[in-house]
Amino acid sequence: SQELEQSPQSLIVQEGKNLTINCTSSKTLYGLYWYKQKYGEGLIFLMMLQKGGEEKSHEKITAKLDEKKQQSSLHITASQPSHAGIYLCGADTRDDKIIFGKGTRLHILP
Amino acid sequence: KAGVTQTPRYLIKTRGQQVTLSCSPISGHRSVSWYQQTPGQGLQFLFEYFSETQRNKGNFPGRFSGRQFSNSRSEMNVSTLELGDSALYLCASSRRTGDYGYTFGSGTRLTVV
């Protein structure tokens, strides 16, 4: 099974609506990273979470880390067309590399 | 400042050929990691180089190799190309090993026919 599960795989929301993407690890998390990717392009680093209960925000995007549950959630408030893309979480499990989830494809309907 | 530069942007090769991809990290970044991205497998770690040394390697066959130069630029090579090697190859740089707040390049789209 996948070490890092993201849900949902795909999401279609009306512009202005809120949404949440989840990322769950089967291993202990020592750091959780959120990235955004435009189709066929490189990834853009959004934010990093390291401590249990930590919450960070960047513009209208907020990410939280639940260390005990080994999961993180990414929440977008009042979604805009610029939020469309693929959101990937990456986990530092102290394995000398970061593993990525398969991504959540987000579409925003005008 | 300049971002991570990957060349070429697109590449079409025939089965059995070999290919070399290049990555120039952000100035001051000494760690360069390579990833393969496919629709089925997602992002898969290939290897990481830091100070011209391979620090870690993913589960890829020996046909995949890389190196890093003294100016931190990195190349990856794939020999005896197979159809399944068709993918987006992404390079990511950071200041030090273990820093996963990467800056990614735009990738090289490799198609093997």
Side-chain angles (χ1 to χ4, degrees):
Chain A
S1 64
Q2 195 74 11
E3 290 178 327
L4 203 59
E5 295 277 354
Q6 279 188 245
S7 63
Q9 291 184 0
S10 180
L11 197 53
I12 303 173
V13 301
Q14 199 77 39
E15 183 178 352
K17 296 293 186 182
N18 303 337
L19 63 106
T20 299
I21 298 168
N22 295 301
C23 175
T24 303
S25 173
S26 61
K27 295 185 175 183
T28 301
L29 288 172
Y30 295 93
L32 194 290
Y33 299 75
W34 283 100
Y35 285 85
K36 180 185 175 184
Q37 183 180 28
K38 291 287 188 182
Y39 180 73
E41 295 287 329
L43 282 66
I44 298 170
F45 173 64
L46 295 175
M47 57 191 87
M48 173 189 73
L49 305 164
Q50 284 189 305
K51 301 175 185 175
E54 187 173 11
E55 180 175 322
K56 286 187 177 178
S57 293
H58 175 68
E59 297 178 346
K60 293 186 177 179
I61 300 175
T62 301
K64 301 178 185 179
L65 178 64
D66 187 330
E67 200 174 49
K68 289 183 181 177
K69 291 184 181 178
Q70 296 178 180
Q71 64 181 199
S72 176
S73 60
L74 185 109
H75 185 77
I76 298 177
T77 304
S79 58
Q80 301 168 354
S82 60
H83 288 130
I86 303 169
Y87 289 82
L88 296 101
C89 61
D92 175 6
T93 58
R94 293 277 169 89
D95 195 23
D96 288 332
K97 65 178 182 290
I98 183 175
I99 56 170
F100 284 93
K102 290 200 172 183
T104 295
R105 193 176 291 266
L106 173 62
H107 301 275
I108 306 294
L109 297 176
Chain B
K1 57 182 179 181
V4 177
T5 303
Q6 287 191 247
T7 56
R9 190 77 172 86
Y10 300 94
L11 207 48
I12 300 175
K13 289 286 187 178
T14 305
R15 273 184 303 174
Q17 286 188 311
Q18 75 165 17
V19 66
T20 299
L21 311 181
S22 178
C23 171
S24 293
I26 287 178
S27 178
H29 284 197
R30 294 168 62 193
S31 171
V32 174
S33 298
W34 288 89
Y35 288 85
Q36 181 196 66
Q37 188 177 34
T38 59
Q41 297 298 316
L43 268 168
Q44 299 287 310
F45 173 75
L46 282 157
F47 25 66
E48 181 201 1
Y49 285 88
F50 180 80
S51 294
E52 301 178 65
T53 302
Q54 187 179 88
R55 300 283 297 183
N56 199 1
K57 191 176 190 303
N59 295 324
F60 279 83
R63 300 184 297 106
F64 291 81
S65 63
R67 59 179 175 169
Q68 187 180 34
F69 302 94
S70 59
N71 62 357
S72 295
R73 189 177 72 86
S74 177
E75 288 182 347
M76 68 163 279
N77 183 277
V78 188
S79 62
T80 320
L81 284 166
E82 300 177 359
L83 296 179
D85 296 333
S86 294
L88 180 65
Y89 289 88
L90 291 164
C91 164
S93 77
S94 60
R95 288 192 179 277
R96 55 176 177 79
T97 188
D99 176 4
Y100 302 120
Y102 293 133
T103 301
F104 277 84
S106 296
T108 293
R109 171 75 63 184
L110 172 66
T111 302
V112 182
V113 297

PDB file of all heavy atoms in Angstrom, chain B residues 53-70:
ATOM      1  N   THR B  53      28.847  14.316  -4.119  1.00  0.00           N
ATOM      2  CA  THR B  53      28.723  12.937  -3.624  1.00  0.00           C
ATOM      3  C   THR B  53      27.256  12.512  -3.660  1.00  0.00           C
ATOM      4  O   THR B  53      26.369  13.285  -3.274  1.00  0.00           O
ATOM      5  CB  THR B  53      29.252  12.830  -2.188  1.00  0.00           C
ATOM      6  OG1 THR B  53      30.606  13.263  -2.164  1.00  0.00           O
ATOM      7  CG2 THR B  53      29.156  11.400  -1.672  1.00  0.00           C
ATOM      8  N   GLN B  54      27.029  11.301  -4.079  1.00  0.00           N
ATOM      9  CA  GLN B  54      25.663  10.766  -4.048  1.00  0.00           C
ATOM     10  C   GLN B  54      25.329  10.415  -2.604  1.00  0.00           C
ATOM     11  O   GLN B  54      25.961   9.553  -2.000  1.00  0.00           O
ATOM     12  CB  GLN B  54      25.533   9.532  -4.939  1.00  0.00           C
ATOM     13  CG  GLN B  54      24.086   9.041  -5.063  1.00  0.00           C
ATOM     14  CD  GLN B  54      23.969   7.832  -5.972  1.00  0.00           C
ATOM     15  OE1 GLN B  54      24.103   6.687  -5.529  1.00  0.00           O
ATOM     16  NE2 GLN B  54      23.741   8.075  -7.250  1.00  0.00           N
ATOM     17  N   ARG B  55      24.268  11.056  -2.075  1.00  0.00           N
ATOM     18  CA  ARG B  55      23.919  10.863  -0.671  1.00  0.00           C
ATOM     19  C   ARG B  55      22.902   9.743  -0.482  1.00  0.00           C
ATOM     20  O   ARG B  55      22.871   9.084   0.549  1.00  0.00           O
ATOM     21  CB  ARG B  55      23.313  12.159  -0.119  1.00  0.00           C
ATOM     22  CG  ARG B  55      24.224  13.353  -0.192  1.00  0.00           C
ATOM     23  CD  ARG B  55      25.271  13.301   0.883  1.00  0.00           C
ATOM     24  NE  ARG B  55      24.684  13.356   2.213  1.00  0.00           N
ATOM     25  CZ  ARG B  55      25.384  13.385   3.328  1.00  0.00           C
ATOM     26  NH1 ARG B  55      26.701  13.347   3.272  1.00  0.00           N
ATOM     27  NH2 ARG B  55      24.785  13.436   4.498  1.00  0.00           N
ATOM     28  N   ASN B  56      22.063   9.573  -1.484  1.00  0.00           N
ATOM     29  CA  ASN B  56      20.992   8.599  -1.348  1.00  0.00           C
ATOM     30  C   ASN B  56      20.512   8.215  -2.740  1.00  0.00           C
ATOM     31  O   ASN B  56      20.651   9.000  -3.689  1.00  0.00           O
ATOM     32  CB  ASN B  56      19.827   9.193  -0.543  1.00  0.00           C
ATOM     33  CG  ASN B  56      18.914   8.129   0.026  1.00  0.00           C
ATOM     34  OD1 ASN B  56      19.129   6.926  -0.145  1.00  0.00           O
ATOM     35  ND2 ASN B  56      17.868   8.562   0.700  1.00  0.00           N
ATOM     36  N   LYS B  57      19.985   7.009  -2.858  1.00  0.00           N
ATOM     37  CA  LYS B  57      19.544   6.529  -4.155  1.00  0.00           C
ATOM     38  C   LYS B  57      18.208   5.827  -4.000  1.00  0.00           C
ATOM     39  O   LYS B  57      17.995   5.094  -3.026  1.00  0.00           O
ATOM     40  CB  LYS B  57      20.574   5.571  -4.737  1.00  0.00           C
ATOM     41  CG  LYS B  57      20.354   5.196  -6.193  1.00  0.00           C
ATOM     42  CD  LYS B  57      21.501   4.312  -6.687  1.00  0.00           C
ATOM     43  CE  LYS B  57      21.452   4.100  -8.197  1.00  0.00           C
ATOM     44  NZ  LYS B  57      20.194   3.508  -8.673  1.00  0.00           N
ATOM     45  N   GLY B  58      17.310   6.022  -4.934  1.00  0.00           N
ATOM     46  CA  GLY B  58      16.008   5.367  -4.914  1.00  0.00           C
ATOM     47  C   GLY B  58      16.082   3.994  -5.549  1.00  0.00           C
ATOM     48  O   GLY B  58      17.149   3.518  -5.937  1.00  0.00           O
ATOM     49  N   ASN B  59      14.937   3.354  -5.665  1.00  0.00           N
ATOM     50  CA  ASN B  59      14.866   1.996  -6.193  1.00  0.00           C
ATOM     51  C   ASN B  59      14.723   1.985  -7.709  1.00  0.00           C
ATOM     52  O   ASN B  59      13.685   1.593  -8.246  1.00  0.00           O
ATOM     53  CB  ASN B  59      13.705   1.240  -5.549  1.00  0.00           C
ATOM     54  CG  ASN B  59      13.915   1.045  -4.070  1.00  0.00           C
ATOM     55  OD1 ASN B  59      15.040   0.838  -3.627  1.00  0.00           O
ATOM     56  ND2 ASN B  59      12.842   1.131  -3.306  1.00  0.00           N
ATOM     57  N   PHE B  60      15.743   2.399  -8.372  1.00  0.00           N
ATOM     58  CA  PHE B  60      15.760   2.395  -9.827  1.00  0.00           C
ATOM     59  C   PHE B  60      16.921   1.534 -10.297  1.00  0.00           C
ATOM     60  O   PHE B  60      17.929   1.393  -9.603  1.00  0.00           O
ATOM     61  CB  PHE B  60      15.911   3.826 -10.370  1.00  0.00           C
ATOM     62  CG  PHE B  60      14.624   4.598 -10.392  1.00  0.00           C
ATOM     63  CD1 PHE B  60      14.164   5.232  -9.254  1.00  0.00           C
ATOM     64  CD2 PHE B  60      13.868   4.684 -11.553  1.00  0.00           C
ATOM     65  CE1 PHE B  60      12.965   5.936  -9.265  1.00  0.00           C
ATOM     66  CE2 PHE B  60      12.679   5.389 -11.587  1.00  0.00           C
ATOM     67  CZ  PHE B  60      12.224   6.013 -10.429  1.00  0.00           C
ATOM     68  N   PRO B  61      16.796   0.947 -11.490  1.00  0.00           N
ATOM     69  CA  PRO B  61      17.890   0.090 -11.989  1.00  0.00           C
ATOM     70  C   PRO B  61      19.151   0.899 -12.264  1.00  0.00           C
ATOM     71  O   PRO B  61      19.129   2.125 -12.343  1.00  0.00           O
ATOM     72  CB  PRO B  61      17.311  -0.499 -13.282  1.00  0.00           C
ATOM     73  CG  PRO B  61      16.189   0.403 -13.661  1.00  0.00           C
ATOM     74  CD  PRO B  61      15.631   0.966 -12.401  1.00  0.00           C
ATOM     75  N   GLY B  62      20.245   0.174 -12.420  1.00  0.00           N
ATOM     76  CA  GLY B  62      21.538   0.801 -12.627  1.00  0.00           C
ATOM     77  C   GLY B  62      21.646   1.600 -13.909  1.00  0.00           C
ATOM     78  O   GLY B  62      22.618   2.338 -14.103  1.00  0.00           O
ATOM     79  N   ARG B  63      20.637   1.452 -14.783  1.00  0.00           N
ATOM     80  CA  ARG B  63      20.644   2.255 -16.019  1.00  0.00           C
ATOM     81  C   ARG B  63      20.524   3.753 -15.715  1.00  0.00           C
ATOM     82  O   ARG B  63      20.863   4.589 -16.544  1.00  0.00           O
ATOM     83  CB  ARG B  63      19.465   1.846 -16.923  1.00  0.00           C
ATOM     84  CG  ARG B  63      19.458   0.403 -17.372  1.00  0.00           C
ATOM     85  CD  ARG B  63      18.325   0.118 -18.336  1.00  0.00           C
ATOM     86  NE  ARG B  63      17.004   0.306 -17.772  1.00  0.00           N
ATOM     87  CZ  ARG B  63      16.202   1.331 -18.055  1.00  0.00           C
ATOM     88  NH1 ARG B  63      16.598   2.274 -18.891  1.00  0.00           N
ATOM     89  NH2 ARG B  63      15.000   1.424 -17.497  1.00  0.00           N
ATOM     90  N   PHE B  64      20.016   4.039 -14.541  1.00  0.00           N
ATOM     91  CA  PHE B  64      19.866   5.431 -14.115  1.00  0.00           C
ATOM     92  C   PHE B  64      21.089   5.816 -13.286  1.00  0.00           C
ATOM     93  O   PHE B  64      21.379   5.174 -12.271  1.00  0.00           O
ATOM     94  CB  PHE B  64      18.597   5.607 -13.282  1.00  0.00           C
ATOM     95  CG  PHE B  64      17.328   5.453 -14.069  1.00  0.00           C
ATOM     96  CD1 PHE B  64      16.824   4.193 -14.364  1.00  0.00           C
ATOM     97  CD2 PHE B  64      16.634   6.570 -14.510  1.00  0.00           C
ATOM     98  CE1 PHE B  64      15.649   4.049 -15.091  1.00  0.00           C
ATOM     99  CE2 PHE B  64      15.451   6.432 -15.228  1.00  0.00           C
ATOM    100  CZ  PHE B  64      14.966   5.172 -15.520  1.00  0.00           C
ATOM    101  N   SER B  65      21.769   6.851 -13.702  1.00  0.00           N
ATOM    102  CA  SER B  65      22.949   7.296 -12.967  1.00  0.00           C
ATOM    103  C   SER B  65      22.997   8.816 -12.977  1.00  0.00           C
ATOM    104  O   SER B  65      22.279   9.469 -13.739  1.00  0.00           O
ATOM    105  CB  SER B  65      24.231   6.728 -13.582  1.00  0.00           C
ATOM    106  OG  SER B  65      24.404   7.214 -14.908  1.00  0.00           O
ATOM    107  N   GLY B  66      23.840   9.352 -12.143  1.00  0.00           N
ATOM    108  CA  GLY B  66      23.950  10.803 -12.104  1.00  0.00           C
ATOM    109  C   GLY B  66      25.306  11.222 -11.615  1.00  0.00           C
ATOM    110  O   GLY B  66      26.156  10.391 -11.253  1.00  0.00           O
ATOM    111  N   ARG B  67      25.509  12.532 -11.624  1.00  0.00           N
ATOM    112  CA  ARG B  67      26.730  13.072 -11.056  1.00  0.00           C
ATOM    113  C   ARG B  67      26.516  14.542 -10.763  1.00  0.00           C
ATOM    114  O   ARG B  67      25.568  15.160 -11.269  1.00  0.00           O
ATOM    115  CB  ARG B  67      27.916  12.879 -11.994  1.00  0.00           C
ATOM    116  CG  ARG B  67      27.770  13.524 -13.368  1.00  0.00           C
ATOM    117  CD  ARG B  67      29.026  13.288 -14.180  1.00  0.00           C
ATOM    118  NE  ARG B  67      28.902  13.792 -15.556  1.00  0.00           N
ATOM    119  CZ  ARG B  67      29.928  13.888 -16.400  1.00  0.00           C
ATOM    120  NH1 ARG B  67      31.134  13.534 -16.025  1.00  0.00           N
ATOM    121  NH2 ARG B  67      29.737  14.337 -17.626  1.00  0.00           N
ATOM    122  N   GLN B  68      27.404  15.075  -9.950  1.00  0.00           N
ATOM    123  CA  GLN B  68      27.338  16.495  -9.631  1.00  0.00           C
ATOM    124  C   GLN B  68      28.725  17.081  -9.783  1.00  0.00           C
ATOM    125  O   GLN B  68      29.729  16.466  -9.401  1.00  0.00           O
ATOM    126  CB  GLN B  68      26.830  16.709  -8.192  1.00  0.00           C
ATOM    127  CG  GLN B  68      26.580  18.177  -7.858  1.00  0.00           C
ATOM    128  CD  GLN B  68      26.077  18.383  -6.456  1.00  0.00           C
ATOM    129  OE1 GLN B  68      26.454  17.654  -5.534  1.00  0.00           O
ATOM    130  NE2 GLN B  68      25.214  19.372  -6.254  1.00  0.00           N
ATOM    131  N   PHE B  69      28.764  18.275 -10.306  1.00  0.00           N
ATOM    132  CA  PHE B  69      30.036  18.939 -10.555  1.00  0.00           C
ATOM    133  C   PHE B  69      30.367  19.899  -9.416  1.00  0.00           C
ATOM    134  O   PHE B  69      29.531  20.179  -8.550  1.00  0.00           O
ATOM    135  CB  PHE B  69      29.976  19.670 -11.899  1.00  0.00           C
ATOM    136  CG  PHE B  69      29.666  18.763 -13.056  1.00  0.00           C
ATOM    137  CD1 PHE B  69      28.368  18.595 -13.500  1.00  0.00           C
ATOM    138  CD2 PHE B  69      30.672  18.037 -13.684  1.00  0.00           C
ATOM    139  CE1 PHE B  69      28.063  17.748 -14.562  1.00  0.00           C
ATOM    140  CE2 PHE B  69      30.377  17.176 -14.733  1.00  0.00           C
ATOM    141  CZ  PHE B  69      29.073  17.034 -15.170  1.00  0.00           C
ATOM    142  N   SER B  70      31.579  20.427  -9.449  1.00  0.00           N
ATOM    143  CA  SER B  70      32.035  21.300  -8.361  1.00  0.00           C
ATOM    144  C   SER B  70      31.209  22.587  -8.264  1.00  0.00           C
ATOM    145  O   SER B  70      31.158  23.213  -7.207  1.00  0.00           O
ATOM    146  CB  SER B  70      33.525  21.630  -8.534  1.00  0.00           C
ATOM    147  OG  SER B  70      33.740  22.258  -9.777  1.00  0.00           O
TER     148      SER B  70
END
